[in-house]
Structures are given as structure tokens and as C-alpha cells.
Amino acid sequence: MKNEGSKKASENEKLKDLERNREISKDQFLTTNQGVKINDDQNSLKAGDRGASLLEDFILREKITHFDHERIPERIVHARGSAAHGYFQVYESMEKYTKAGFLQDPSKKTPVFTRFSTVAGFRGSTDLARDVRGFSVKFYTEEGNYDLVGNNIPVFFIQDAIKFPDLIHAVKPEPHNEIPQAASAHDTFWDFISLMPESAHMIMWAMSDRAIPRSLRMMEGFGVHTFRFVNKDGKGTFVKFHWKPLLGTHGVTWDEAQKISGNDSDFHRRDLWDAIESGQFPEWELGVQLIPEEDEHKYDFDILDATKLVPEELVPVKKIGKMVLNRNPDNFFAETEQVAFHPGHIVPGIDFSNDPLLQGRLFSYTDTQLKRLGGPNFHEIPINRPIAPMHNNQRDGHMRQEINKGQTSYQPNSLRGGCPFQAKIAEGGFDSYPEKIDAKKVRERSESFKDHFSQATLFYNSQTEVEQQHIINAFSFELGKVGETEVQERMLGLLNEVNKDLAKEVASNLGIKVPKKKEQLNHGVPADYDPERYEPTKSNPSIEKDPALSMMHNGFGNIATRQVAFLCADGVDDNSVNDMKKALEKEGAMVNIVGPNSTEVKTAGGKSLKVDAAFRTTASVVFDAFYVPSGEKAHKALKKIPKAIHFLNEGYKHCKPIAVAQENGLLEETYFWKDLDKKNLEEDGVIVGEGKSSEFVKAIGKHRFWKREEKDSIPA
Ligand code: HDE
């Protein structure tokens, strides 16, 4: 979808054309991989024109062999992703807390490559699955690559890395029939979750609208684990990382998500790509929660436990810089697919904590790249190369690119004067934070990790009523897809620990009862099970609500990049189109003319209006708001297009703003019009009348008019 008015967009276009022309103007002959010019790429070499193919056809063999090997193993998790280039800039020096070079100088731009992903689905699966989203940022700093490999949810399902393969086996399609794709609504997932009370907090987030984002550009990101900043004096400060999108954090409805999956399974990928192509660069602020080392044990949760967050009410988020994504990849495979992130890629000034989930990740990521990218030299793939100079004595291996010169490949050496040298700390050499460890070797979990429910309750209590209802609906849908009543009941037992009303409502939707008998809550226990040690506890949380946990808490009013469909047909009024278009584009919204066919409509003034999409080829669910310009003839025509009426019905169902410049019977064709309180239309996000662009802008800024869900009056 294009924003024709955007200046940046046309600049981008020009650049692209230049690039294309440059390519075209070169003497570019088709060649083999050995550089031999190819004369005929249409016919294989045969014994006669009807004869058998000849084995000596090196052109055919090379082409087909390469094709046969085009696929590499997809990521075991986070296989489906979309990425973009950009930069990061710090607002002010963070030297008090960290010596990390890229966090010192506000005038310095550090290049980044950021990849967003779903977790469970395969590489070709739908974008709008209910799932956690990966949010990985590679900072190409002058001191080496730093990867912040996070998610759009600040906590995780499990406390210890040893449970990760179990979690992923449970959520992936079931092994006997490989069903379902990119969905958690199936028996094995809920069987596992219902047996793992430590997942209670994360599952609340996963059932919230956070798991069905409106756009990758409208998601928060979180480092999840507690990390450590280290300053030049060696002083450590615990740190939690946050990414806050400047466009606010927004979701879609579940009905919409399912329909988007059918209409445009690349919805998020396309949205990110289009926004960047049109010059509407997505931006996030990097926030940190800083916790002095002295406060490590101050809270009623353990900051090393990845199933807990640090409420912003307790430790505010300090915004320290901004990331802008301003360039799409040139080649999906070379960049988005081959990028290799690793939470262990850190730079001086940043260090790990002892979070047992993080510690396990430190092993996993290199291990997986060895297999996925085919060997130990994946750091030489262009997208993974640091911009910092790189010298060491690692040599050889599959697909080695660098031609290392000289006689020595060991350290110490004298034959090359000792080169490459170790760097002193003052010269930027990495030194691990000297944390004191004096402990027994045990397979145990800390007492301080035992409270699995308080923060799940805090999350639920912090949601608006609408958000709570969406969570109830999500549990009801997901558990409704589970065949085993025993699993459903066990899950209700867990939900009962989080919030009794939640459990009751879900049970009623499932048509079963919350079990009276309290389940043995922790099934994930060692063979030598000690109930004292493993029975979950519930502490008394110091706060009851944290508004930052609710998506509906901030980010409203901004309509930049919102997709507005103008429903048009021949006879549409020129001014009615142009005035609204101007008003919306002034605020950065994207106007899309939707018409009976994909060419053009004739306006009442005799002009031709280019159509961006035909009703036949698009769907209401890919738009944020709808506008019907005036024009009697146009309205008459729209009335006869069932899909146009469906746009309005579905737009209403999904609580989106609707503006109609002139009511002359079109709205009467819809399901919702007759029941509307005509005196308070605008409160319901329905704007009727000419010249109401500012009301419409305001309505789009509200994102959705959730009150409509109470009536739930639209059948499908
Ligand atoms: Fe990952 N995770 N993970 N993970 N993860 C991978 O690495 C793993 C975890 C996350 O865009 C894999 O290159 C283990 C938490 C993202 O390329 C793999 C554990 C968080 C991405 C892996 C975790 C994440 C991955 C698969 C438990 C949020 C996509 C392919 C200890 C903080 C990165 C790959 C990209 C990818 C292992 C838990 C985020 C297998 C063992 C917690 C965003 O190495």
C-alpha cells in the first residue's frame, strides 16, 4: 500500500531506480559459477531435439545441483522472521553505569540489524499466529557485535534451560501427524503447560492481545533476563532492557487474526516492508531498568528468575536511546535467514547474570548455527561480520572465506612478533565481571523461584476489563481445542490460583467445572521429590496493579501509518475524497482506494481515481479504518457489491472506526446500523457527515471502539 504523498517515499524510489539502472547498465551476461558465458538457458543438451538429455551438460547439472541445495535447515524455533537494517543512537552518555562504547556518545550512530519472528510456526507459516514474537537486535558496535536477543513478552515459560526442548516439543505440531501448524491450541501444549505451574505468568501474556500484534512496528521488546552493566571502574549494575515503540503497542482481535492469516499470511512482513519502503521508518526507544547490586534481594521475587518481571511501578524505565529501522534487506536469504543471533555476543560493559535460563541459552545459539549455517565460519557471512576489526588464530573449516596469510596460527608466537596481541582492559579487552561464587554443585532450584502465581495475578489485575475479556476468550478458544478433559481441568486448577473469576468464566465457556480438589501443582519435579522444596508458594506482592502491563495504557492518538480504506465506486465525490485524504495524510496515515476493480473509478467531477485494491482482491481485516466518501451514484453502486457491505460489517465487528460522508441508505444495508444510538454515534466510532476529518482522525487515534464487543451483534 502506497502513500503517494510521501516525499521520503519518492526519494527511496529514485534510489532504487538508480540501483536497478546501475545493475542493468553493466555488461551482465548470464554465466556459470565458473564465469563461463551461457548462450542458451532455455534448452538442455540432448541427443537430437527429441532425444535423451546428455550427462555432459555441465550447465544443466550445475544449475539443478545448486537448486537442489538451496534450502538450509530452518531455525528450530523462530523460523518465521522478518528483518530490517537501521541504526541506534544513545540520548546521553551512560558512562556512570556501563563502559559499552555504543552507549557513550549521543552523536554516534551504531548500525543495527533487527529480526522479528514468531516462535512455533515453520518458515512459511502465517504471521498472525497466536504466539510470542522474537525481537532480536544485532548492534554492529566498534567494539564488536552486541546481540540483544529478546521477545515481545518480558517473561518466559520456564525457569531453567533444561526444560526448553520439552516446551518446544509440546508447542510444535504434534509428532504423529504434524498438526497444528503455528498454533498452541492443541493437546500437547496444554498438557505440558498444565503440568508446569511456573509457566502461569507467561501463559497469561501469551493469551493476551500481545500475542496477536497489529504490527511488528507496534510491539514492545524485552531482553527478558536480568543482565549486568559494568562501568570503567568495574562497578556492576543489574539491568533489564525494554524497547518501547513510538507508535504505541497495539493488537488485533482474535477473529481478525484468524482471517488475516487467510487473506494475507505475510501481513506483518508486508507491513514492515511497506512502511520502510514508503519512508515511514519504525522507531523504538531503548529503555533500561537499573537495579543497584545492593538491591539484588530487595524484591518479593528473584531478579534471576525469568518468569518474573520487575514492575515499572517499582523500578521505572529510563529511556536511553532510539533505534530507527530505515532500510529493507536486499536479499531475504542472505540477510534475514542467515543472520545468527546469540545472547552470548556481548561487548565490554555488558555482562550476564546467573539466570539459569540465560546460562543455558549461552550454549545453545552457537551450537544451533553450526548445524543451520553449515559449519564454524558463519561469522564470515556478510550479515554476521562485525565492523570491528577481527583477528584470531581460528582457522579453516567448511566454507572458510578469509585467506589467512603467514606462517603462524597460534598464540603465543614470536615468528609474527606475537601478533595478534591480547588487548589490555584499558585497550578494550573484555574482562568478565568478577562475581564471587562460593557454592555447592547441586541440581536444585532456589526457594526464591517458588512463587509462580503472584505476578500472573498482578498481570491479570493490571488489565482493563476489555483486555481481561480477551484473555478469557483466548483461554476458552485454546482449551476448547483440547480433546482431553483431564488437561482442561488441570489447567483450570492453575487458572484458579491466578484469579478465581478467570477460571470460572473459562470453565463456563468450556462447559465444565473448576475442579474442587486442589491438584498437586508442581508436576515438574525430580524423582526424589521433596514437597517442601517444590510446592509453589504465593508471596504477598508489594503492588496490586502496574498500568505498564496493560497494552491499552499508552500510545494512543498517533495515526501514522494506519491503513485507511476509502470505499469508492464511479460517481464518488471529488472533494469528499480529496479533503479526507489530505487530512489523513497530514497525520501520516496511508490512504487506500478500494474499488469495484483494480484499475480506476471515475469521480463525479470526471476525473480518474487510481484504485489501490479491488474489493475482490483485498479484505477489511487488512485495514485499520474505513471511509465512504459521498456521491449518490457511488453509494448506489456500493450497495450492490456484497463485499463492500461486508467491509463495513466486519470493520464494525472488529471495533474499527468508520466514517461515512453522507448517509443515503448505504448504512442501512449493514447489520449494525439499525441498533445504533443515532445521537451518540461518535462515541461508538461511527462518524456520519461531510467535513468530519478531525473527528475521524481522533477516532483512528483511539485504535478500537471495544464497547461494541459487548453487543457482539455481527454474525461473521
Ligand atoms: Fe531462544 N533460541 N532459546 N529464546 N531465541 C533460538 O537460535 C533457546 C529464549 C529467541 O531472530 C535458536 O538461531 C534456548 C528466551 C529469539 O534469529 C536456539 C532457550 C528468549 C530467537 C534458541 C531459549 C529467546 C531465538 C533457534 C532456553 C527471549 C530468534 C535459532 C534456555 C529472551 C533469533 C537460533 C533470530 C532463537 C535456544 C529461550 C529469544 C535454538 C535453549 C528466554 C528472539 O538456539
Side-chain angles (χ1 to χ4, degrees):
M1 285 166 230
K2 279 173 263 149
N3 179 355
E4 287 156 297
S6 163
K7 202 170 139 217
K8 278 188 196 158
S10 62
E11 279 168 11
N12 246 9
E13 265 317 303
K14 264 189 225 151
L15 259 175
K16 283 235 129 120
D17 282 349
L18 261 178
E19 265 171 28
R20 272 181 219 125
N21 290 339
R22 211 179 304 138
E23 295 239 272
I24 292 163
S25 66
K26 281 185 204 153
D27 282 347
Q28 272 206 357
F29 291 111
L30 190 66
T31 69
T32 66
N33 285 338
Q34 306 309 315
V36 175
K37 288 180 191 158
I38 295 173
N39 167 259
D40 183 347
D41 190 41
Q42 318 305 321
N43 299 294
S44 54
L45 190 65
K46 294 184 275 299
D49 60 2
R50 298 182 62 249
S53 298
L54 298 180
L55 191 59
E56 72 166 68
D57 187 351
F58 62 94
I59 297 175
L60 172 78
R61 273 189 290 117
E62 182 196 83
K63 189 173 176 182
I64 301 263
T65 308
H66 194 278
F67 169 77
D68 291 344
H69 295 261
E70 273 177 10
R71 290 292 169 271
I72 60 171
E74 65 174 32
R75 289 165 174 83
I76 166 77
V77 282
H78 297 268
R80 169 130 188 119
S82 307
H85 294 271
Y87 64 87
F88 172 79
Q89 212 166 357
V90 73
Y91 290 149
E92 57 184 271
S93 171
M94 292 298 290
E95 69 173 338
K96 188 169 163 208
Y97 302 102
T98 173
K99 60 183 175 184
F102 76 107
L103 295 177
Q104 307 300 319
D105 180 359
S107 69
K108 193 183 275 176
K109 286 185 178 174
T110 300
V112 298
F113 187 67
T114 299
R115 183 175 182 271
F116 306 100
S117 46
T118 50
V119 179
F122 293 177
R123 216 185 111 179
S125 57
T126 177
D127 278 344
L128 259 288
R130 174 175 293 285
D131 200 352
V132 183
R133 299 298 184 287
F135 193 130
S136 310
V137 183
K138 190 177 281 294
F139 298 81
Y140 301 88
T141 89
E142 288 169 7
E143 296 167 302
N145 286 353
Y146 167 55
D147 293 353
L148 184 49
V149 194
N151 279 342
N152 77 328
I153 291 180
V155 289
F156 204 63
F157 290 104
I158 49 170
Q159 294 177 320
D160 192 309
I162 200 166
K163 299 311 296 168
F164 191 67
D166 300 296
L167 167 73
I168 301 307
H169 285 174
V171 72
K172 282 269 181 182
E174 298 188 6
H176 59 308
N177 57 10
E178 199 149 285
I179 299 176
Q181 181 57 244
S184 51
H186 59 114
D187 288 41
T188 55
F189 179 68
W190 289 101
D191 183 31
F192 178 78
I193 295 294
S194 67
L195 295 169
M196 293 291 290
E198 69 199 56
S199 65
H201 186 194
M202 174 77 164
I203 201 67
M204 299 300 296
W205 285 78
M207 293 302 113
S208 78
D209 293 349
R210 299 260 181 179
I212 38 173
R214 158 63 185 85
S215 160
L216 301 171
R217 304 173 292 119
M218 298 171 197
M219 298 189 320
E220 283 185 279
F222 303 92
V224 178
H225 312 281
T226 298
F227 289 89
R228 209 187 296 261
F229 270 161
V230 186
N231 72 11
K232 66 176 183 324
D233 303 324
K235 186 172 165 37
T237 306
F238 289 115
V239 57
K240 287 266 185 192
F241 292 106
H242 296 244
W243 290 109
K244 301 266 187 195
L246 262 60
L247 292 173
T249 310
H250 302 289
V252 298
T253 70
W254 179 229
D255 182 65
E256 211 182 335
Q258 292 177 91
K259 289 172 177 165
I260 292 173
S261 290
N263 279 294
D264 185 4
S265 59
D266 301 308
F267 184 69
H268 282 157
R269 179 176 287 177
R270 191 187 309 283
D271 166 275
L272 179 68
W273 179 276
D274 285 351
I276 294 173
E277 286 299 290
S278 69
Q280 306 249 32
F281 303 140
E283 297 178 331
W284 285 261
E285 289 190 294
L286 179 65
V288 290
Q289 286 176 297
L290 298 165
I291 303 168
E293 293 210 313
E294 311 80 85
D295 289 355
E296 180 173 0
H297 303 291
K298 177 175 158 186
Y299 305 102
D300 48 33
F301 52 86
D302 195 324
I303 62 167
L304 299 186
D305 173 1
T307 66
K308 307 297 181 301
L309 51 83
V310 179
E312 293 187 30
E313 288 286 289
L314 296 182
V315 182
V317 173
K318 179 180 164 63
K319 312 237 174 94
I320 65 165
K322 194 161 83 173
M323 171 171 75
V324 180
L325 298 183
N326 58 5
R327 183 162 66 84
N328 279 317
D330 289 313
N331 183 289
F332 184 91
F333 179 81
E335 301 176 272
T336 310
E337 195 57 16
Q338 293 203 109
V339 64
F341 290 98
H342 187 349
H345 290 165
I346 51 172
V347 287
I350 299 179
D351 213 326
F352 313 118
S353 72
N354 288 333
D355 172 346
L357 193 68
L358 172 60
Q359 298 278 319
R361 292 179 75 200
L362 297 181
F363 158 73
S364 179
Y365 288 68
T366 311
D367 186 39
T368 210
Q369 311 307 352
L370 287 171
K371 168 104 181 127
R372 192 171 73 82
L373 299 171
N377 290 315
F378 58 86
H379 60 283
E380 293 191 326
I381 296 171
I383 194 68
N384 295 323
R385 274 185 210 149
I387 57 165
M390 190 192 64
H391 311 280
N392 59 38
N393 295 310
Q394 293 167 27
R395 291 291 185 273
D396 309 345
H398 279 294
M399 303 298 165
R400 183 68 172 181
Q401 306 290 303
E402 193 174 348
I403 301 173
N404 297 104
K405 294 186 184 147
Q407 190 183 6
T408 64
S409 53
Y410 53 87
Q411 225 277 335
N413 69 65
S414 68
L415 296 182
R416 220 171 133 210
C419 190
F421 310 103
Q422 298 171 106
K424 294 191 177 120
I425 293 168
E427 292 167 331
F430 185 88
D431 59 329
S432 284
Y433 183 76
E435 185 174 5
K436 189 165 181 293
I437 297 180
D438 177 16
K440 281 191 190 147
K441 211 191 280 180
V442 290
R443 284 189 188 273
E444 277 180 14
R445 243 174 249 196
S446 166
E447 277 289 299
S448 54
F449 278 42
K450 277 173 67 174
D451 177 1
H452 304 321
F453 299 113
S454 293
Q455 286 209 349
T457 306
L458 171 69
F459 177 77
Y460 192 68
N461 289 347
S462 303
Q463 305 301 305
T464 60
E465 264 179 47
V466 171
E467 288 168 306
Q468 289 185 341
Q469 188 57 50
H470 290 185
I471 292 171
I472 294 168
N473 295 348
F475 274 114
S476 307
F477 176 90
E478 297 260 323
L479 291 172
K481 292 265 188 179
V482 168
E484 299 284 331
T485 315
E486 188 194 313
V487 172
Q488 293 174 322
E489 286 180 341
R490 200 164 49 226
M491 202 51 225
L492 289 173
L494 278 193
L495 292 186
N496 211 28
E497 297 293 319
V498 177
N499 182 293
K500 299 223 161 350
D501 291 336
L502 164 68
K504 228 189 302 170
E505 296 258 0
V506 175
S508 139
N509 288 342
L510 294 176
I512 55 176
K513 292 224 155 47
V514 180
K516 284 220 175 63
K517 183 173 98 347
K518 199 173 159 189
E519 284 276 335
Q520 178 205 326
L521 279 175
N522 209 348
H523 295 252
V525 294
D528 287 319
Y529 166 59
D530 167 8
E532 278 283 295
R533 180 140 213 104
Y534 282 93
E535 200 55 25
T537 55
K538 206 163 177 173
S539 60
N540 220 352
S542 47
I543 51 168
E544 280 178 10
K545 281 189 184 187
D546 183 353
L549 302 180
S550 156
M551 278 218 288
M552 297 190 185
H553 171 66
N554 65 29
F556 292 95
N558 186 349
I559 72 161
T561 75
R562 290 307 178 119
Q563 302 286 349
V564 185
F566 279 31
L567 311 191
C568 297
D570 285 348
V572 66
D573 183 88
D574 299 67
N575 289 341
S576 187
V577 171
N578 295 336
D579 293 352
M580 184 61 93
K581 186 168 189 284
K582 218 158 113 195
L584 292 175
E585 286 183 346
K586 195 168 146 236
E587 302 296 325
M590 320 283 255
V591 169
N592 302 272
I593 305 292
V594 182
N597 60 50
S598 51
T599 53
E600 55 173 39
V601 291
K602 282 262 172 288
T603 66
K607 297 227 164 72
S608 105
L609 186 62
K610 193 180 160 310
V611 167
D612 296 304
F615 285 108
R616 187 177 298 118
T617 59
T618 187
S620 83
V621 286
V622 303
F623 299 102
D624 295 293
F626 305 91
Y627 174 57
V628 190
S630 57
E632 222 150 289
K633 189 177 156 206
H635 282 220
K636 236 187 215 163
L638 289 174
K639 269 197 230 172
K640 291 201 186 122
I641 304 175
K643 188 106 181 252
I645 308 300
H646 186 61
F647 258 61
L648 296 174
N649 279 329
E650 213 171 38
Y652 188 85
K653 182 182 179 70
H654 298 143
C655 308
K656 296 170 180 174
I658 294 173
V660 179
Q662 177 188 30
E663 169 43 12
N664 46 23
L666 181 68
L667 283 169
E668 273 164 28
E669 301 290 319
T670 66
Y671 279 114
F672 58 88
W673 180 246
K674 64 177 182 324
D675 293 333
L676 288 191
D677 171 4
K678 307 290 183 302
K679 285 202 195 89
N680 288 313
L681 285 175
E682 282 175 26
E683 270 174 37
D684 197 29
V686 179
I687 291 140
V688 180
E690 199 71 80
K692 296 212 168 181
S693 57
S694 65
E695 287 85 342
F696 193 38
V697 166
K698 227 186 269 164
I700 303 172
K702 287 189 176 154
H703 184 55
R704 298 297 166 92
F705 290 81
W706 298 115
K707 243 182 118 41
R708 292 180 200 165
E709 287 190 335
E710 286 169 18
K711 278 200 233 147
D712 198 13
S713 56
I714 312 292

